[in-house]
């Protein structure tokens, strides 16, 4: 297994990733090509990420990776920022999240080894199937029969469902409460009800579990408590805010380049004061997003120190700031490109498409605000 | 809603019952889901409207129009949007018709107006060019007179529906030496002419409604010149000024907000109906209040008490505020839909969940603050007005 990386190595890993993505996953050759991939294969870029050793970052040295325990989230954010910049859609972050859960469930050495050497991919099946006019969250349940555990229920919007090896999900065990389960994706008990592409080009599917064979990891509570990194929502917020940061940085760069070259009424757009001010405001918003990514990471530390209420609050603040600021920045990025910003041929619109999906699945401003305003959060503060 | 005269109330009721009877429920459902109308939808709807005498709300009766004033037209548009039903064909009826009525020759009016009204052919609009967006007058497509024809060379862009339109009305440069607004002419060009190539532009919503149109030595009979040569800029300004009645889009935005509320009522989130969620209500109520105010603003500006300068500035104010509200409502709608509302259509289009097309409609709504004069340009017009008129 790979030796631990020093801090410099980690910084240079992000640099190496940026360089590799620039060379091998450019917008026209990488991202746009990926938009025509089918649902039953992992996006090609996934292999590039594995080649660069990113899978090893999923786990600390003690578990055979080189992620470094306390610093795991910092490394993950560095990677996510680069993936956001390059508009990478891959199961890397889902697998990273899944690895954190598996790690904290304990006794899963073979699974962890396969995740950290990139030979196994995993998706989170955590969105409940919530139809229009139907009650929220019909519970996914687990029961034990003569051969072990099996799962019944449904999950919606499972990313890369048709291409990953394993699914990680929570299900209710009668009399015990919720527990985490690992499910082999390709088996008779897992049925794809519908497979579709989202606006950011990612493939997802709605899954039905009909007596799907499963392996029980641990009770949800135990995972939350162990190691302090259990709260998956906090990890998600840390990763997604970093991804939005990278996306907004890249979009601002594109805007400045466009304003320098595009001329209307005889002068470059960049000489119009109103547009210069817009760019200045985008820069300010970008700094707020940078801080939000730090806040989301800080929430993880708070959680680790046992202050769950403060952690939830800080994470919700981060989500609120990051999603509102990034939404505005990426809308302005399209606006400043004029009609060209509305085309699929330019990268700038793709950042906004990605943002819509990230916010919908990991919670945007409305959800963060609701969390901040709820009684228990305010008491926690 | 404002208090309305008995006449307007009666007209509104009449329009509503017409829509209830004549609008195809399948088309209505598709529009409500956020899909684009198709060519055959537009043609058959335009014909139904013509039959009822409402094919051209903005034309005088002598040319087959409804002869309605601005307010009556607005009432009609409001009801179409609320249904939702397609409006009368925007290029045939709202844009080109009035130009021909005002500036066309009697022969042109006699030939074209009935065809436009009955959607015997559909026009598209060839104004923008790659180098000429907000700065439209810098356009470079040329038309050179050769005998009884103009020979047109150049390129148009963002041409909505060019892939199925029959004709295009174009601004072309006929005098390269004149000051930029003064050498432009207004031509009608058959899309089947040799030398025309249409290339699709896929927009960020992944759909195809926009195009590039290339002209390579396209011969256009001189009879297809509208008005006088080199006066096309005036006609274009007249045409764009005629969009006033629809520019704020209040009725369309209201319909989308009502739809967001309807979906929210059927959506459970955080353990309760989303429609009663404090955060959702705060946003929906704020939007509704701002729409109510914008509605009054537009009635005031269309009501005839304002000066021509105020009307021009008013159109800019309505466009900026109207598109901002529309985009905010589309954001709210997208949030209500959640991940289900962020799908791209598959080979057979969208699936059974009505929320699926909301995301692509949201993405397309980002164009509202760009087309028809970007909001930044509208603000320049407004700023000039404010400094010119406030002592």
């Amino acid at each position: 297994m790979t030796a631990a990386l020093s801090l410099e190595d980690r910084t240079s890993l992000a640099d190496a990733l940026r360089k590799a993505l620039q060379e091998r996953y450019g917008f026209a050759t990488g991202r746009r090509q990926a938009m025509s991939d089918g649902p039953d294969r992992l996006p090609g870029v996934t292999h590039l990420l594995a080649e660069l050793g990113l899978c090893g970052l999923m786990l600390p040295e003690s578990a055979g990776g080189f992620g470094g325990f306390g610093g795991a989230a910092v490394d993950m954010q560095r990677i996510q920022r680069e993936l956001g910049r390059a508009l990478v859609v891959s199961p890397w972050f889902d697998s990273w999240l899944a690895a954190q859960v598996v790690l904290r469930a304990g006794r899963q050495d073979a699974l962890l080894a396969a995740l950290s050497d990139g030979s196994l991919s995993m998706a989170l099946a955590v969105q409940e199937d919530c139809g229009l006019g139907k009650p929220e969250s019909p519970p996914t349940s687990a029961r034990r029969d003569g051969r072990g555990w099996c799962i019944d229920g449904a999950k919606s919007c499972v990313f890369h469902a048709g291409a990953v090896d394993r699914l990680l999900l929570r299900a209710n065990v009668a009399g015990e409460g919720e527990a985490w389960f690992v499910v082999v994706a390709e088996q008779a008990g897992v049925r794809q009800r519908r497979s579709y592409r989202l606006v950011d080009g990612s493939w997802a599917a709605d899954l039905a579990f009909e007596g799907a064979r499963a392996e029980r990891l641990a009770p949800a509570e135990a995972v939350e408590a162990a190691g302090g990194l259990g709260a998956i929502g906090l990890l998600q917020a840390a990763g997604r805010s970093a991804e939005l940061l990278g996306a907004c940085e890249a979009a601002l760069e594109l805007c400045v380049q466009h304003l320098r070259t595009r001329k209307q009424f005889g002068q470059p757009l960049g000489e119009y004061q109103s547009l210069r001010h817009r760019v200045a405001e985008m820069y300010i918003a970008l700094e707020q997003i940078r801080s939000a990514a730090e806040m989301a990471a800080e929430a993880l530390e708070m959680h680790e120190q046992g202050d769950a209420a403060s952690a939830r609050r800080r994470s919700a603040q981060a989500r609120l700031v990051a999603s509102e600021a990034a939404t505005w920045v990426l809308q302005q990025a399209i606006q400043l490109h004029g009609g060209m910003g509305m085309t699929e041929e330019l990268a700038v619109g793709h950042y906004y498409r990605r943002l819509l999906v990230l916010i919908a699945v990991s919670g945007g401003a409305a959800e963060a605000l609701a969390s901040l305003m709820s009684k228990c959060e305010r008491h926690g503060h | 809603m404002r208090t309305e005269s008995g006449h307007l109330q009666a007209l509104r009721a009449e329009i509503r019952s017409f829509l209830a009877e004549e609008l195809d429920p399948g088309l209505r459902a598709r529009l409500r889901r956020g899909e684009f109308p198709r060519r055959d939808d537009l043609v058959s709807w335009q014909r139904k409207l013509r039959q009822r005498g409402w094919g051209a709300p903005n034309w005088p009766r002598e040319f087959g129009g409804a002869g309605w004033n601005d307010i009556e037209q607005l009432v009609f548009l409001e009801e179409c949007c609320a249904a939702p039903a397609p409006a009368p064909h925007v290029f045939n009826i709202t844009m080109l018709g009035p130009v021909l009525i005002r500036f066309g020759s009697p022969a042109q009016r006699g030939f074209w107006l009935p065809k436009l009204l009955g959607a015997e052919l559909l026009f598209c609009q060839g104004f923008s060019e790659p180098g000429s967006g907000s700065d439209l007058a810098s356009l470079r497509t040329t038309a050179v007179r050769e005998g009884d024809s103009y020979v047109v060379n150049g390129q148009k862009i963002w041409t909505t529906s060019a892939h199925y339109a029959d004709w295009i009305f174009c601004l072309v440069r006929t005098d390269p030496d004149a000051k930029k607004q003064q050498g432009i002419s207004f031509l009608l060009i058959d899309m089947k002419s040799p030398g025309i190539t249409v290339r699709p532009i896929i927009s960020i919503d992944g759909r195809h409604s926009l195009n590039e149109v290339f002209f390579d030595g396209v011969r256009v009979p001189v009879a297809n010149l509208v008005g006088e040569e080199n006066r096309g800029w005036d006609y274009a300004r007249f045409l764009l000024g005629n969009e006033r009645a629809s520019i704020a889009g209040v009725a369309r935005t209201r319909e989308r907000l009502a739809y967001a509320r309807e979906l929210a009522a059927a959506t459970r989130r955080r353990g309760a109906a989303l429609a009663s969620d404090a955060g959702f209500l705060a946003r929906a109520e704020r939007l509704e209040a701002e729409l109510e105010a914008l509605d009054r603003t537009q009635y005031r500006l269309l009501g005839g008490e304002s000066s021509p300068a105020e009307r021009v500035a008013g159109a800019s104010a309505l466009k900026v505020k109207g598109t901002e509200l529309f985009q905010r409502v589309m954001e709210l709608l997208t949030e209500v839909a959640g991940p289900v509302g962020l799908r791209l259509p598959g080979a057979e289009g969208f699936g059974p969940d009505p929320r699926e097309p909301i995301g692509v409609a949201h993405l397309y709504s980002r164009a509202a603050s760009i087309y028809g004069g970007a909001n930044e340009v509208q603000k320049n017009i407004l700023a000039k007005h404010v400094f010119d008129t406030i002592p």
Side-chain angles (χ1 to χ4, degrees):
Chain A
M1 203 38 65
T2 323
L5 292 176
S6 68
L7 188 62
E8 294 75 48
D9 289 337
R10 288 186 192 142
T11 312
S12 65
L13 180 63
D15 291 342
L17 176 59
R18 182 179 300 195
K19 199 155 168 283
L21 289 170
Q22 276 168 356
E23 281 168 10
R24 294 165 64 184
Y25 195 75
F27 177 67
T29 53
R31 163 71 183 182
R32 287 207 74 199
Q33 296 297 318
M35 294 287 288
S36 55
D37 287 348
D40 50 358
R41 287 178 57 189
L42 287 176
V45 68
T46 309
H47 307 295
L48 172 61
L49 303 184
E51 213 178 285
L52 288 165
L54 296 195
C55 299
L57 280 180
M58 290 178 187
L59 302 169
E61 288 166 66
S62 58
F66 51 88
F69 197 72
V74 177
D75 291 333
M76 176 275 286
Q77 283 196 316
R78 287 201 183 107
I79 304 305
Q80 280 292 93
R81 180 176 158 201
E82 297 307 324
L83 300 186
R85 249 183 183 284
L87 283 163
V88 170
V89 169
S90 86
W92 184 82
F93 183 56
D94 252 20
S95 291
W96 187 89
L97 283 172
Q100 309 312 306
V101 173
V102 174
L103 183 63
R104 271 129 204 108
R107 302 190 317 275
Q108 290 293 335
D109 294 346
L111 192 56
L112 289 174
L115 278 171
S116 69
D117 70 15
S119 60
L120 186 102
S121 59
M122 214 168 191
L124 288 172
V126 289
Q127 296 273 344
E128 294 296 343
D129 187 43
C130 186
L132 206 54
K134 302 217 179 83
E136 204 169 13
S137 306
T140 302
S141 61
R143 62 192 156 82
R144 201 199 280 272
D145 65 11
R147 294 194 293 142
W149 289 93
C150 50
I151 306 280
D152 294 292
K155 299 283 180 185
S156 71
C157 204
V158 179
F159 288 95
H160 310 288
V164 291
D165 305 300
R166 300 280 186 279
L167 303 167
L168 183 72
L169 55 83
R170 276 157 79 132
N172 198 49
V173 183
E176 281 183 38
E178 284 205 311
W180 285 99
F181 291 85
V182 176
V183 174
V184 173
E186 220 175 312
Q187 60 163 301
V190 179
R191 188 168 56 85
Q192 272 199 22
R193 287 161 55 219
R194 198 135 185 275
S195 164
Y196 42 83
R197 205 190 260 287
L198 296 182
V199 293
D200 67 346
S202 54
W203 280 101
D206 296 342
L207 301 178
F209 298 92
E210 297 157 343
R213 308 311 310 178
E215 190 176 346
R216 183 173 179 274
L217 288 179
E221 273 174 32
V223 173
E224 292 276 316
L229 273 180
I232 206 157
L234 304 183
L235 291 166
Q236 181 113 342
R240 295 313 185 191
S241 55
E243 192 171 350
L244 290 178
L245 172 62
C248 290
E249 284 174 332
L252 181 57
E253 288 164 16
L254 291 174
C255 284
V256 171
Q257 288 153 12
H258 177 73
L259 295 180
R260 278 198 189 112
T261 49
R262 168 85 173 173
K263 284 187 179 175
Q264 288 283 272
F265 302 104
Q267 58 173 340
L269 290 179
E271 285 175 20
Y272 289 95
Q273 191 178 38
S274 72
L275 304 187
R276 295 178 72 83
H277 284 184
R278 191 84 51 87
V279 168
E281 288 162 18
M282 290 166 77
Y283 183 87
I284 295 167
L286 189 58
E287 291 304 316
Q288 292 291 90
I289 300 166
R290 207 182 303 282
S291 298
E294 284 176 18
M295 286 154 70
E298 188 187 41
L300 294 173
E301 284 168 29
M302 290 170 161
H303 189 82
E304 212 168 333
Q305 287 153 13
D307 189 354
S310 298
R312 277 200 303 276
R313 190 175 160 78
R314 181 68 79 240
S315 178
Q317 288 176 325
R319 292 200 303 279
L320 180 66
V321 172
S323 59
E324 277 194 341
T327 300
W328 184 80
V329 166
L330 296 177
Q331 287 173 347
Q332 294 311 314
I334 293 172
Q335 181 74 21
L336 291 178
H337 278 78
M340 285 311 292
M342 283 298 297
T343 67
E344 200 167 58
E345 279 174 57
L346 255 66
V348 66
H350 290 256
Y351 288 106
Y352 189 62
R353 293 165 70 155
R354 179 74 176 144
L355 166 108
L356 290 182
V357 172
L358 292 182
I359 283 182
V361 297
S362 60
E367 183 276 328
L369 205 50
S371 164
L372 288 169
M373 292 192 305
S374 72
K375 267 193 189 129
C376 65
E377 295 302 317
R378 278 188 287 126
H379 287 169
H381 184 58
Chain B
M1 194 58 57
R2 309 155 309 277
T3 45
E4 238 167 30
S5 69
H7 159 68
L8 286 183
Q9 284 174 17
L11 178 62
R12 200 179 279 284
E14 209 183 336
I15 297 164
R16 229 172 256 187
S17 74
F18 170 80
L19 289 167
E21 273 167 40
E22 295 295 332
L23 180 62
D24 168 46
L27 171 58
R28 176 180 183 271
R30 276 186 281 122
L31 294 179
R32 200 156 164 72
R33 288 157 55 109
E35 296 185 38
F36 291 134
R38 302 189 285 246
R39 183 188 160 112
D40 53 339
D41 295 328
L42 295 173
V43 169
S44 62
W45 184 241
Q46 182 61 38
R47 288 180 184 163
K48 280 184 183 173
L49 290 176
R50 181 193 53 177
Q51 214 163 15
R52 183 63 183 75
W54 297 341
N58 54 331
W59 299 4
R61 278 171 187 271
E62 54 178 310
F63 299 109
W68 284 332
N69 65 27
D70 278 359
I71 300 293
E72 290 164 328
Q73 289 175 43
L74 190 55
V75 166
F76 179 73
L77 194 73
E78 282 172 357
E79 291 304 321
C80 286
C81 288
H89 193 255
V90 60
F91 302 121
N92 282 19
I93 305 298
T94 315
M95 294 186 170
L96 180 56
V99 170
L100 292 173
I101 289 169
R102 178 82 177 265
F103 305 107
S105 65
Q108 284 175 331
R109 284 186 222 152
F111 180 79
W112 289 109
L113 295 178
K115 290 185 169 58
L116 298 181
L117 194 57
E120 285 168 50
L121 39 83
L122 299 183
F123 265 86
C124 60
Q125 178 194 30
F127 280 15
S128 296
E129 296 185 7
S132 311
S134 296
D135 184 8
L136 184 59
S138 68
L139 60 90
R140 287 155 58 176
T141 295
T142 57
V144 177
R145 179 86 183 249
E146 276 183 21
D148 287 343
S149 302
Y150 288 103
V151 178
V152 178
N153 283 290
Q155 182 193 351
K156 296 293 174 180
I157 196 167
W158 316 126
T159 320
T160 302
S161 76
H163 53 301
Y164 63 71
D166 308 293
W167 282 71
I168 182 168
F169 55 86
C170 269
L171 293 181
V172 292
R173 190 161 295 286
T174 35
D175 182 353
D177 302 322
K179 222 183 96 189
K180 68 179 186 179
Q181 282 87 353
Q182 284 162 10
I184 292 171
S185 297
F186 194 107
L187 282 186
L188 309 179
I189 305 177
D190 187 341
M191 288 295 284
K192 289 184 295 294
S193 313
I196 291 187
T197 311
V198 177
R199 199 179 76 92
I201 296 173
I202 306 300
S203 39
I204 58 170
D205 53 339
R207 294 184 292 182
H208 172 206
S209 63
L210 305 170
N211 302 275
E212 289 177 281
V213 183
F214 297 88
F215 299 85
D216 181 13
V218 177
R219 298 193 80 86
V220 180
V222 170
N224 292 352
L225 171 74
V226 175
E228 293 171 40
E229 201 178 78
N230 296 331
R231 295 288 304 279
W233 185 251
D234 297 340
Y235 311 153
R237 282 184 47 149
F238 169 82
L239 178 154
L240 296 171
N242 282 332
E243 287 184 281
R244 274 200 316 276
S246 60
I247 203 161
V250 172
R252 172 181 67 165
T253 306
R254 272 203 173 122
E255 187 278 330
R256 289 290 83 183
L257 181 57
Y259 189 48
R261 285 185 191 269
E262 186 187 309
L263 289 179
T267 303
R268 291 188 66 79
R269 206 163 289 167
R270 296 181 281 274
L274 183 55
S276 56
D277 176 83
F280 172 81
L281 276 172
R283 288 171 70 189
E285 293 302 335
R286 181 186 296 275
L287 285 162
E288 188 142 339
E290 291 196 51
L291 279 166
E292 185 65 35
L294 183 62
D295 192 32
R296 279 153 204 270
T297 306
Q298 84 171 329
Y299 269 79
R300 201 169 51 249
L301 293 173
L302 293 173
E305 287 155 38
S306 41
S307 69
E310 279 170 342
R311 284 176 161 240
V312 171
S316 291
L318 295 174
K319 205 260 172 178
V320 171
K321 189 68 190 177
T323 52
E324 284 175 2
L325 289 177
F326 175 58
Q327 290 175 336
R328 278 165 58 195
V329 166
M330 292 304 283
E331 284 181 59
L332 182 64
L333 188 55
T334 306
E335 208 172 288
V336 170
V340 179
L342 291 177
R343 297 183 189 180
L344 290 174
E348 290 95 41
F350 287 104
D353 193 313
R355 296 171 293 183
E356 290 181 25
I358 286 174
V360 298
H362 169 133
L363 285 166
Y364 202 74
S365 78
R366 299 312 310 174
S369 49
I370 297 171
Y371 60 58
N375 284 10
E376 288 78 3
V377 173
Q378 305 292 348
K379 288 178 189 173
N380 284 343
I381 294 170
L382 270 174
K384 183 175 184 316
H385 175 75
V386 171
F387 277 96
D388 284 353
T389 54
I390 294 182

